[in-house]
Amino acid sequence: MEYTFILSSLLNPCSLISLILIVLIFVFRSSFRLNSSRKLQLPPGTLGLPFLGESLQIISAYKTENPEPFIDERVKRYGNVFTTHLFGKPTIFSTDPDVNRYILQNEGRLFESSYPSSITNLLGKHSLLIIKGNLHKKLHSLTMSFANSSIIRDHLLVDVNRLVKLNLNSWSDHVLLQDEAKKITFELTVKQLMSIDPGEYSEKLRKEYVLLIEGFFSVPIPFFFTTYGRAIKARRKVAESLLSVVRERRKENPSSGNGGGKKNKDMLEALLEEECGLSDEEIVDFMLALLVAGYETTSTIMTLVVKFLTETPLALAQLKEEHEKIAAEKGYSGSLQWSDYKSLPFTQCVINETLRVANIISGVFRKTTADVTIKGFTIPKGWTVFASFRAVHLHQDNYKESRSFNPWRWQDDLASMSSIGNGNSFTPFGGGPRLCPGYELSRVEICVFLHHFITHFSWVPAEEDKLIFFPTTRTVKRYPINIQRRNCQVE
Ligand code: HEM
């Protein structure tokens, strides 16, 4: 009887689809029952459709300018922490600042970062974003010490100023701001990593790198003609290119791996000096992680600061005043010094507000390494959790009129807050053992960019553009603007 049904299903497409659906529902239901049978109190919610879960709903929401209803509706129905099913996995979605903090702080104990293999293939298995345990601790603290305030002040700031000015001077009177900002952040990272100035090497590397980045946001089908397939190939080329620099440096400095204790000239030298003796492959994956982590994030904030300011003329006027004062003192031809950076309170408010509203990293995925009980719920071992920063940043309990861009809201808090964020309700750079090591550097880069841009150009949007949030936070048309130079060249 069953055979007859299956056979006729094969001949009849409608029945075949019904059969597949029945099997899917059965598998899906049994996996859900498995948890109930272990008497685990999951947060309320729905797993949505078999296999697809609620992925299509979240994707279609994040592809619009206003993705908030996806979260708002579920929070209203189920509360701040709810169960859903995203990108192939049952997921606990947290919009609760305390739960998010708990997830971030317990990285390596109850939770661990987890990426699909399609992403790991692009990042490399030794990437800082992926490695765990002691090696992660060591390399994370190495990165933090390389991008700390005194290193930025004494070493990196000179090049940030120089490369930002170089780029601004090369602009025509019509630019796609998002692309230009990406070029700036890429060149800055290459310089900070390997002391290589913009030129033939960095341009060639950038072309491959752009293909690699596209792979992160594509369907992971590894054929040579697909975006993902091209990204895999580009990854190989980028790795080879970085490897050649690593090998050259090893030749120049054969004593690498001895610790040393002296000040390193760049990140690569610090890696080569690392006492545990990193392999070439580990160093290449590490450099690639820094290129990936700082590129899209910082450049998008640079673009969106300009977009939000353009839409908020009062804020733009106040910011201009702050920067004009410093620029005028220098005759419009100096660099932004560390002391200047520290004396721009309204600029810090504008950067905070852009980070809060734009949410470049809308949250982080983690996997539980044990059953975790929190706020009366139990999340089973091996489940995915998503700590949503976006939901916290845009909730009215945490920010009054939370959905509007209002840089003045930060004015009273600024003195008491650090560059990382404040408390549990502002975490654009994450937290805990995986706190973004670039949190200060990115703020400095954005600030230097704003300083030279605002004091040397006026601009108008060339077309209407809109902000969307899937597959990443970006403006659809890459924010085209027409610019006019004021105060001559950026010297
Ligand atoms: C506006 C700019 C930036 C934002 C919003 C941002 C945000 C974040 C966030 C939220 C995380 C935590 C990820 C997690 O917990 O899984 C992170 C990690 C990281 N960021 Fe950033 N980031 C920015 C710029 C940078 C820059 C300029 C660098 C370069 C030094 C950088 C390097 C990294 C690295 C290497 C990690 C991984 C840390 C680890 O897993 O141990 N980021 N970033």
Side-chain angles (χ1 to χ4, degrees):
M1 177 68 187
E2 274 172 13
Y3 282 121
T4 324
F5 176 65
I6 291 170
L7 201 64
S8 66
S9 300
L10 289 172
L11 298 173
N12 174 350
C14 287
S15 312
L16 179 61
I17 292 167
S18 321
L19 176 66
I20 293 170
L21 278 176
I22 290 165
V23 172
L24 291 181
I25 289 166
F26 177 74
V27 173
F28 199 63
R29 287 268 155 82
S30 7
S31 75
F32 204 38
R33 255 204 311 270
L34 184 75
N35 293 313
S36 346
S37 68
R38 288 166 64 199
K39 295 208 169 44
L40 298 179
Q41 175 71 40
L42 285 170
T46 169
L47 295 180
L49 289 171
F51 286 103
L52 287 176
E54 299 196 288
S55 308
L56 296 183
Q57 285 98 317
I58 199 168
I59 290 173
S60 59
Y62 276 60
K63 272 184 162 175
T64 69
E65 282 181 288
N66 177 26
E68 270 44 78
F70 177 86
I71 298 177
D72 291 347
E73 282 162 17
R74 283 156 186 80
V75 168
K76 200 165 160 212
R77 217 176 304 154
Y78 307 119
N80 280 348
V81 182
F82 56 86
T83 301
T84 176
H85 191 280
L86 299 175
F87 312 117
K89 292 192 177 151
T91 302
I92 304 302
F93 197 107
S94 164
T95 70
D96 180 316
D98 301 333
V99 174
N100 286 1
R101 180 186 161 80
Y102 187 77
I103 293 169
L104 293 172
Q105 295 296 335
N106 280 290
E107 165 74 14
R109 289 187 286 268
L110 299 172
F111 302 90
E112 60 182 27
S113 72
S114 129
Y115 293 90
S117 59
S118 56
I119 298 288
T120 314
N121 291 341
L122 294 176
L123 283 171
K125 60 178 186 289
H126 306 294
S127 170
L128 187 63
L129 296 142
I130 286 166
I131 54 172
K132 302 181 169 73
N134 280 341
L135 186 61
H136 172 259
K137 227 181 251 169
K138 206 169 182 150
L139 292 183
H140 185 268
S141 92
L142 184 80
T143 322
M144 290 290 258
S145 64
F146 189 75
N148 68 26
S149 308
S150 56
I151 298 280
I152 299 172
R153 182 191 61 209
D154 299 339
H155 302 281
L156 306 183
L157 190 55
V158 178
D159 286 322
V160 176
N161 272 291
R162 188 170 60 82
L163 294 184
V164 165
K165 290 190 222 173
L166 195 73
N167 269 281
L168 291 182
N169 282 333
S170 73
W171 286 9
S172 64
D173 52 10
H174 174 89
V175 292
L176 298 174
L177 188 57
Q178 200 158 296
D179 288 359
E180 297 298 337
K182 281 183 180 176
K183 186 162 173 284
I184 293 175
T185 54
F186 184 80
E187 289 177 358
L188 283 173
T189 316
V190 169
K191 179 70 186 172
Q192 289 150 6
L193 280 176
M194 309 180 272
S195 304
I196 295 179
D197 269 321
E200 208 182 311
Y201 174 85
S202 67
E203 252 327 276
K204 221 169 135 198
L205 186 66
R206 197 165 74 88
K207 287 210 174 102
E208 294 301 333
Y209 177 78
V210 168
L211 296 177
L212 162 62
I213 290 288
E214 280 171 10
F216 286 105
F217 313 113
S218 64
V219 183
I221 301 170
F223 294 136
F224 72 92
F225 54 84
T226 60
T227 306
Y228 186 73
R230 278 195 296 272
I232 292 280
K233 193 168 152 211
R235 202 251 175 229
R236 235 180 347 257
K237 288 195 183 165
V238 170
E240 276 164 16
S241 175
L242 295 175
L243 187 63
S244 66
V245 180
V246 174
R247 291 203 169 133
E248 220 163 279
R249 272 296 180 85
R250 279 210 203 271
K251 252 193 261 163
E252 280 167 22
N253 180 13
S255 64
S256 302
N258 294 339
K262 66 178 172 52
K263 155 82 197 70
N264 297 111
K265 80 166 177 180
D266 54 30
M267 192 73 218
L268 176 54
E269 193 164 283
L271 290 165
L272 291 168
E273 293 285 335
E274 192 36 59
E275 280 168 51
C276 61
L278 298 168
S279 68
D280 287 355
E281 198 192 343
E282 283 172 326
I283 293 180
V284 165
D285 284 0
F286 182 90
M287 296 208 293
L288 218 141
L290 285 200
L291 271 175
V292 170
Y295 170 76
E296 206 56 54
T297 47
T298 311
S299 57
T300 306
I301 292 292
M302 281 175 181
T303 310
L304 294 183
V305 167
V306 174
K307 181 177 187 321
F308 295 157
L309 285 170
T310 312
E311 291 160 5
T312 322
L314 271 180
L316 177 58
Q318 190 167 336
L319 194 88
K320 255 188 189 160
E321 197 182 311
E322 199 168 75
H323 284 267
E324 289 284 348
K325 200 163 148 245
I326 291 176
E329 277 166 17
K330 297 175 198 283
Y332 292 92
S333 66
S335 289
L336 192 79
Q337 305 296 335
W338 184 258
S339 53
D340 303 325
Y341 167 69
K342 285 290 177 190
S343 65
L344 292 166
F346 190 65
T347 308
Q348 295 301 339
C349 294
V350 168
I351 294 175
N352 276 355
E353 187 65 352
T354 307
L355 287 164
R356 185 186 73 83
V357 173
N359 290 298
I360 303 300
I361 309 280
S362 84
V364 293
F365 280 103
R366 294 289 192 262
K367 195 170 82 181
T368 48
T369 55
D371 287 356
V372 178
T373 300
I374 182 163
K375 297 222 165 171
F377 301 120
T378 301
I379 310 170
K381 179 180 174 183
W383 268 50
T384 299
V385 295
F386 183 70
S388 171
F389 305 153
R390 175 177 197 98
V392 174
H393 292 167
L394 296 179
H395 199 285
Q396 70 228 7
D397 285 355
N398 307 317
Y399 297 93
K400 214 170 127 197
E401 291 176 25
S402 58
R403 309 276 156 103
S404 45
F405 180 82
N406 172 9
W408 295 277
R409 74 170 79 240
W410 296 96
Q411 269 174 337
D412 295 338
D413 296 349
L414 214 56
S416 61
M417 76 173 273
S418 71
S419 312
I420 306 168
N422 59 346
N424 304 345
S425 58
F426 185 53
T427 54
F429 297 105
R434 287 196 184 269
L435 169 72
C436 173
Y439 67 86
E440 186 81 69
L441 183 58
S442 61
R443 297 184 84 102
V444 170
E445 291 177 356
I446 295 161
C447 201
V448 171
F449 163 74
L450 274 177
H451 177 72
H452 296 300
F453 179 66
I454 276 177
T455 54
H456 286 87
F457 294 106
S458 43
W459 70 94
V460 285
E463 287 172 65
E464 228 178 80
D465 201 356
K466 63 177 192 179
L467 179 59
I468 54 162
F469 303 90
F470 184 87
T472 53
T473 303
R474 58 173 72 170
T475 57
V476 174
K477 296 180 181 165
R478 297 178 285 171
Y479 206 54
I481 53 172
N482 294 328
I483 56 173
Q484 237 181 347
R485 276 164 215 280
R486 305 186 292 130
N487 307 316
C488 315
Q489 284 284 94
V490 193
E491 283 171 37

